[in-house]
Amino acid sequence: METHFESNPLIDRLPKHLKQFIKPQVYDDYTPINQAVWRYVMRKNVAYLSKVAHSSYLEGLKKTGLEIDNIPNMYGMNRILKEIGWAAVAVDGFIPPNAFMEFQAYNVLVIACDIRQLEHIEYTPAPDIIHEGAGHAPIIANPEYAEYLRRFGEIGCKAISSARDYELYEAIRLLSILKEAEDTPEEEIKKAEEQVDFIQNNMGELSEMSRIRNLHWWTVEYGLIGTLDNPKIYGAGLLSSIGESAWCMTDNVKKIPYDISAADQSFDITKPQPQLYVTPDFAKLSEVLEEFANKMALRTGGLSGIKKLIYSKALGTIELSTGLQISGVFTNVIEDEGKPVYIQTTGKTALSHREKELVGHGTEYHAAGFGSPIGKLKGINLAIEEMSPRDLRAYDIYEGEQVTLEFEGDIKVIGEIVTGTRNLQGEILIIKFKNCTVTHNDTLLFQPEWGIYDMAVGQEVISAFSGPADVNSFDMINHVPSSQTIKQKKSSEREELEKLYLSVRNIREGKTATTTLKEAFASLSSGHPNDWLLSVEIAELAKKEGNSDLVDKVLNHLEKVKSNRPEVAHLIDNGLELIFEKEGIV
């Protein structure tokens, strides 16, 4: 899916499979109530976070062009983000973890452009523009942290998932949508929560993706920085939650020194976190990330790496010691003494070198799969890749020769060599046979009737990772989420309330308004007695106008709302604090 963007060249260079997740930000869809929610959270956050957030946060707000009074426009953000080497795109809620991290690798911030409902103003389990825009964007203005984020994406998108990871992603996505939607029946939410719990409790051994997602959660989303006794906030989940940013600073939340053990600490996205990790500085984040990456199949390869790919049941790549990269869905490996001696993919497969597909070795040619021995020839210390032209001639590994190659692990290749494929350095990558038979003991792996046999050359698997070596080898425009975000319902009562919010907003901005403050409050208190946020905004403007009579009426009304709706009493008090704290009224 091609989408046109005017704002940042970083977006233009994104591969097509990432562009499929991008949706347009329809700014006119934001209602006056949405704008009021943004303004309330931002005013409260900036006032509070100036005391407890990392110094980069407030500096970043200025650098990224985020305004207190207005939901950010993606085009405007991109013009400013461009100056710090980043871009932003809008998406629909949660996207798959691999894609999310790959966007980061391209220095692109993913922003869910929906905004939380007024009823979930403190915290929402669904990603929204407050979380992404006001949480992630400001902190990336810090160059050291931005590089950590980019590097995390680069490594994270190569992490191998299990089949269960995608089930969990879909379950969490659905739960977050149902929880954020208005009027969702409790039994539906309960059913979705039970599904998330069931999958989380039956994940088996955590995959690389599960473990690196844990690291992402405890740093990028919920990280603290500084000392255990005096930590500051830098995680976007905390920066964007007026509830959790205060809660996390209390003794109710255990503070733990950040290290690689965080990779094994799972999290519940729908509840406040009982513990948080504190890094002494941003450099420690990169140190732990590299420590984790050193244990990934991306860097260790080997038999375990192939087995991770088989278990994932998803598109992945192995790289051999020659640099040959085999991309496909791996379905089998034959092992001998702890080493892989034969690998097999099923379905479309592509062969590449240095992330570039080899001519003639795309998915159309290898449509049914690919299998090849790996390792050394039996009884010969010299690997094929290390042989000089004279060595190859001596062992009859030469065009036009009928040859029998016996590999360690009892893999035998018998056939007539047609040709070979070499890299630019002259090293042989593939040997092509006709009339070829490949066996493992008595098991037939390839027979002459199947056509030409392409044998990979490589004595070991040095890397295994998620996704293809060359993103252009496969059609990856295929993501269809099982759930769609649910828009707010429209009603005559809601439209009437939106008009009142718009009138008050116009008064604040000095625009032509259809009503006075006094009239707006009269309509609000009589027609929408349970709404609290607009009353707080009216109180703010009445105070600025010096209309003490209206201020008193609004404050009396808010006391009634607090009595009728005790669950929002602290939100009302928090809003009034911003207006009256100097006078000591609240």
Side-chain angles (χ1 to χ4, degrees):
M1 182 181 86
E2 289 289 351
T3 308
H4 179 64
F5 297 95
E6 305 168 4
S7 45
N8 196 311
L10 285 173
I11 299 171
D12 296 332
R13 70 185 180 109
L14 288 172
K16 290 180 181 178
H17 72 277
L18 289 183
K19 287 184 179 179
Q20 71 181 307
F21 296 102
I22 301 172
K23 61 176 283 186
Q25 181 196 33
V26 184
Y27 198 85
D28 289 343
D29 282 354
Y30 295 122
T31 69
I33 293 179
N34 293 155
Q35 294 284 2
V37 166
W38 170 272
R39 184 171 182 269
Y40 177 93
V41 173
M42 289 302 292
R43 290 179 77 227
K44 191 64 190 169
N45 268 8
V46 171
Y48 175 67
L49 293 173
S50 61
K51 308 179 189 80
V52 297
H54 188 266
S55 58
S56 296
Y57 176 74
L58 291 177
E59 295 166 18
L61 278 177
K62 297 171 191 169
K63 287 183 182 176
T64 49
L66 291 171
E67 297 178 22
I68 303 295
D69 288 343
N70 299 292
I71 294 171
N73 183 303
M74 212 68 73
Y75 292 126
M77 274 188 74
N78 269 311
R79 282 194 296 274
I80 297 165
L81 284 170
K82 182 181 176 183
E83 295 177 16
I84 58 174
W86 280 73
V89 294
V91 297
D92 182 41
F94 281 113
I95 65 172
N98 287 80
F100 181 87
M101 292 186 190
E102 194 174 356
F103 271 109
Q104 284 182 197
Y106 282 93
N107 284 30
V108 174
L109 196 60
V110 173
I111 294 182
C113 54
D114 288 335
I115 187 165
R116 66 195 64 180
Q117 295 180 64
L118 176 54
E119 289 73 20
H120 300 149
I121 197 166
E122 280 191 286
Y123 171 79
T124 173
D128 76 336
I129 198 162
I130 292 178
H131 171 79
E132 314 285 6
H136 285 294
I139 206 77
I140 63 167
N142 179 297
E144 187 179 18
Y145 179 76
E147 175 54 22
Y148 166 70
L149 202 63
R150 186 201 67 77
R151 185 71 174 144
F152 198 108
E154 198 170 53
I155 292 169
C157 72
K158 300 292 188 185
I160 300 172
S161 301
S162 70
R164 274 273 147 129
D165 286 328
Y166 199 79
E167 288 179 41
L168 182 61
Y169 153 70
E170 290 283 15
I172 288 175
R173 177 182 165 87
L174 176 61
L175 176 59
S176 71
I177 288 170
L178 293 177
K179 277 200 161 189
E180 178 56 25
E182 56 188 319
D183 302 329
T184 303
E186 276 301 316
E187 58 267 25
E188 271 194 56
I189 292 177
K190 188 170 185 293
K191 184 180 176 184
E193 284 178 333
E194 288 172 352
Q195 180 65 6
V196 170
D197 286 342
F198 175 78
I199 297 172
Q200 282 185 324
N201 293 327
N202 293 275
M203 293 292 288
E205 185 179 346
L206 289 182
S207 68
E208 289 180 351
M209 178 52 74
S210 289
R211 297 183 74 232
I212 204 167
R213 274 182 67 236
N214 286 343
L215 288 184
H216 194 271
W217 182 265
W218 298 120
T219 60
V220 175
E221 296 293 353
Y222 278 80
L224 297 175
I225 188 168
T227 64
L228 295 181
D229 296 330
N230 184 31
K232 299 291 184 183
I233 297 171
Y234 73 91
L238 297 173
L239 291 172
S240 60
S241 170
I242 54 180
E244 281 212 86
S245 59
W247 169 254
C248 77
M249 287 298 165
T250 68
D251 291 337
N252 295 309
V253 178
K254 184 180 179 183
K255 313 299 190 300
I256 305 169
Y258 180 64
D259 60 28
I260 200 167
S261 66
D264 296 308
Q265 178 61 59
S266 60
F267 57 88
D268 185 340
I269 197 167
T270 66
K271 296 171 185 166
Q273 308 308 312
Q275 76 280 308
L276 294 173
Y277 290 85
V278 185
T279 183
D281 47 41
F282 288 140
K284 178 70 174 178
L285 302 183
S286 296
E287 180 186 311
V288 171
L289 177 61
E290 291 301 322
E291 185 181 352
F292 182 86
N294 284 337
K295 297 177 182 177
M296 287 172 62
L298 175 68
R299 295 185 181 174
T300 60
L303 179 63
S304 65
I306 301 170
K307 286 184 172 180
K308 285 178 182 179
L309 285 178
I310 293 172
Y311 183 62
S312 78
K313 300 179 182 178
L315 176 62
T317 299
I318 65 168
E319 182 173 334
L320 305 182
S321 45
T322 53
L324 179 68
Q325 296 165 315
I326 304 163
S327 299
V329 177
F330 288 82
T331 50
N332 190 34
V333 60
I334 299 172
E335 58 182 285
D336 180 68
E337 296 183 354
K339 293 180 180 180
V341 294
Y342 194 89
I343 56 93
Q344 180 70 53
T345 67
T346 300
K348 292 182 177 181
T349 303
L351 307 185
S352 304
H353 184 258
R354 293 186 175 176
E355 288 72 50
K356 183 73 174 173
E357 185 183 292
L358 294 172
V359 175
H361 288 284
T363 57
E364 287 187 12
Y365 181 68
H366 296 292
F370 180 83
S372 177
I374 292 168
K376 290 184 176 181
L377 296 171
K378 190 179 288 186
I380 301 175
N381 286 327
L382 199 61
I384 292 177
E385 67 212 66
E386 296 168 346
M387 290 181 180
S388 67
R390 182 173 292 179
D391 295 324
L392 292 169
R393 178 80 266 190
Y395 290 107
D396 290 333
I397 304 174
Y398 215 77
E399 282 88 344
E401 294 288 347
Q402 180 73 24
V403 67
T404 297
L405 300 178
E406 291 190 57
F407 286 84
E408 294 175 348
D410 300 315
I411 304 292
K412 188 180 290 186
V413 178
I414 303 171
E416 183 183 331
I417 296 177
V418 178
T419 187
T421 300
R422 297 175 183 270
N423 63 20
L424 290 174
Q425 285 71 41
E427 298 163 333
I428 193 159
L429 301 177
I430 301 166
I431 299 174
K432 192 180 290 283
F433 295 83
K434 65 180 181 180
N435 302 320
C436 185
T437 301
V438 184
T439 56
H440 173 237
N441 294 322
D442 296 329
T443 303
L444 187 66
L445 300 174
F446 191 91
Q447 57 192 42
E449 293 81 2
W450 296 352
I452 296 296
Y453 181 69
D454 294 278
M455 186 186 81
V457 175
Q459 61 180 313
E460 59 181 336
V461 175
I462 62 169
S463 181
F465 54 88
S466 174
D470 185 339
V471 295
N472 297 311
S473 294
F474 294 81
D475 176 13
M476 297 167 69
I477 318 295
N478 54 15
H479 176 71
V480 181
S482 61
S483 51
Q484 301 291 330
T485 51
I486 300 169
K487 302 302 179 187
Q488 292 177 342
K489 296 174 183 175
K490 291 184 178 179
S491 65
S492 57
E493 182 184 351
R494 176 93 181 186
E495 286 178 18
E496 186 182 279
L497 184 58
E498 293 282 8
K499 286 177 183 175
L500 289 174
Y501 269 84
L502 180 59
S503 293
V504 172
R505 183 176 176 85
N506 286 339
I507 291 170
R508 186 191 319 111
E509 295 177 352
K511 297 177 181 176
T512 303
T514 56
T515 183
T516 64
L517 268 187
K518 184 178 178 182
E519 291 168 341
F521 177 65
S523 298
L524 179 71
S525 54
S526 61
H528 310 276
N530 286 322
D531 185 85
W532 62 271
L533 181 53
L534 188 55
S535 292
V536 171
E537 293 207 337
I538 291 172
E540 178 191 359
L541 292 174
K543 176 180 175 291
K544 283 183 180 176
E545 291 179 358
N547 189 341
S548 57
D549 181 52
L550 183 55
V551 169
D552 290 340
K553 286 181 180 177
V554 175
L555 292 179
N556 286 333
H557 171 70
L558 284 170
E559 285 301 318
K560 292 177 188 173
V561 177
K562 285 161 66 175
S563 177
N564 294 333
R565 299 184 64 197
E567 73 275 11
V568 300
H570 66 292
L571 295 171
I572 293 170
D573 289 341
N574 287 344
L576 294 177
E577 276 175 15
L578 293 172
I579 305 166
F580 298 109
E581 59 185 346
K582 291 178 184 175
E583 287 87 345
I585 290 178
V586 292

